[in-house]
Amino acid sequence: MKKILVIINKNWETEPVLNALTNPKLRPAALPFPEVINTPCDGDNRMSQPRAVFSLPREGEEPLQVVVRCIEDLMATGVNTSSSLEKYKVLPQAIAADAADLIISVSTANYPDPAVTHNGTVVLGGNFFIHDGNPDNHADPEHNLIDDRVGTFIASNVAPAVFSLAETVNARLHCYPGGACKLVPPPNFPAPQLVCEGASTFTAVGSVNVTDYGSYDTIDAQALKEFAAAAPEGYTANSIETTHGVVKISTSGEPILFLSPITDRLNHFNEDVTDTQNYVSAFNGGLALGELLCALAEYGGERQI
């Protein structure tokens, strides 16, 4: 493994992630300041350059290069930045050009268990399920991403051992009972224990062709029902959002992980989500991502990803 490509969904998610990755007090000691850095950028920013490029030293091996990109930067101006189709138009070419050995998709999400809040936690997984949130509205160009993999379970193509790195991330963030956890509690319904969770059975459920935030609660319930009918036994839905699945089908077979900072509880979008909630949760994602990148650098260039 010589290169990792980190793909972050929106500008407002990218900025807090990069804040965490460049903070001299909070980023891991083993994570150097980026060689290339393009932040802060306004929400209407468009560019082909990466937001950041890191070079992580490794003993006895060449450095591990990490390129960070924002999907919104690549999208056409004037297009709804939640358009699944527009994301799918720009991602395959960008992913192919970077030629990474591993891709990490980063997008804020809700947690599909309304019984206990997970707000502020971070979820790491490698399986994907895509639900069409507007199957009867494909005439609208904002709602017409059509792909044969929609409605099917897409199994992880990452070695199961990689997911144990979530334990390393937790230890380094001190996210254990009694620890001085570095993750920040979000203002609305924070989880009782902030952690980074990861497992080879974790799945990102993505609803595509959805641009109306007000429809999330209804569509998320539909997506979970469809996932339950399609998923193999033992696999769980641990993240619901709109982008991880689009990133997955934009690859050409590269190993891919998803990393979801959790912002809200299932069916509580309007109660939980604010700009501050989004910022804090995405910042936590950046803290976890920094530790994960360092753990992957230590994992070794010759080990199976």
Side-chain angles (χ1 to χ4, degrees):
M1 183 172 58
K2 300 178 180 179
K3 186 176 184 180
I4 294 174
L5 173 61
V6 176
I7 300 176
I8 308 175
N9 183 24
K10 298 286 186 69
N11 175 80
W12 55 261
E13 294 164 304
T14 301
E15 295 297 345
V17 168
L18 288 176
N19 290 166
L21 291 177
T22 57
N23 187 292
K25 298 291 186 180
L26 294 175
R27 77 176 191 266
L31 182 66
F33 196 79
E35 298 173 345
V36 174
I37 184 69
N38 288 302
T39 185
C41 292
D42 203 359
D44 62 356
N45 178 70
R46 297 294 184 271
M47 65 182 187
S48 59
Q49 297 90 344
R51 283 300 192 95
V53 177
F54 296 84
S55 184
L56 280 69
R58 296 186 288 188
E59 186 176 354
E61 298 182 61
E62 64 182 276
L64 174 63
Q65 187 182 55
V66 177
V67 176
V68 180
R69 293 192 180 274
C70 171
I71 300 174
E72 188 173 354
D73 290 348
L74 305 172
M75 299 174 74
T77 56
V79 176
N80 190 312
T81 56
S82 294
S83 169
S84 302
L85 181 62
E86 178 65 14
K87 293 175 185 179
Y88 189 57
K89 285 180 179 178
V90 301
L91 278 169
Q93 183 176 355
I95 290 171
D98 276 306
D101 302 298
L102 174 68
I103 296 167
I104 303 176
S105 173
V106 180
S107 179
T108 53
N110 81 39
Y111 197 90
D113 179 3
V116 180
T117 177
H118 289 254
N119 295 353
T121 65
V122 182
V123 174
L124 177 69
N127 307 291
F128 299 83
F129 180 83
I130 305 173
H131 166 70
D132 188 346
N134 268 295
D136 301 321
N137 196 23
H138 288 164
D140 184 341
E142 289 186 352
H143 303 114
N144 62 353
L145 172 58
I146 301 171
D147 188 274
D148 290 342
R149 290 160 288 188
V150 172
T152 65
F153 179 84
I154 308 174
S156 171
N157 60 355
V158 177
V162 171
F163 299 100
S164 66
L165 297 179
E167 299 174 11
T168 303
V169 172
N170 268 324
R172 293 179 180 177
L173 291 173
H174 308 292
C175 295
Y176 43 79
C181 183
K182 291 184 178 181
L183 297 181
V184 182
N188 297 327
F189 304 96
Q193 178 68 51
L194 296 177
V195 295
C196 175
E197 302 176 293
S200 61
T201 55
F202 283 8
T203 307
V205 175
S207 294
V208 297
N209 298 326
V210 181
T211 56
D212 176 15
Y213 287 6
S215 65
Y216 278 178
D217 286 348
T218 300
I219 291 176
D220 287 348
Q222 295 170 351
L224 283 175
K225 183 177 181 180
E226 191 173 333
F227 165 79
E233 185 176 356
Y235 287 83
T236 56
N238 302 81
S239 162
I240 307 181
E241 45 71 71
T242 61
T243 304
H244 289 318
V246 180
V247 178
K248 172 64 177 180
I249 64 174
S250 298
T251 69
S252 57
E254 299 91 339
I256 177 171
L257 298 169
F258 70 84
L259 188 146
S260 292
I262 302 301
T263 59
D264 55 306
R265 301 164 294 161
L266 181 68
N267 298 328
H268 292 278
F269 182 88
N270 290 333
E271 293 175 67
D272 292 4
V273 175
T274 64
D275 290 341
T276 304
Q277 184 90 350
N278 283 334
Y279 184 95
V280 172
S281 299
F283 186 84
N284 284 349
L287 294 176
L289 177 62
E291 297 292 357
L292 177 63
L293 293 173
C294 292
L296 285 166
E298 297 166 9
Y299 185 80
E302 301 302 321
R303 294 181 67 181
Q304 181 182 1
I305 292 292

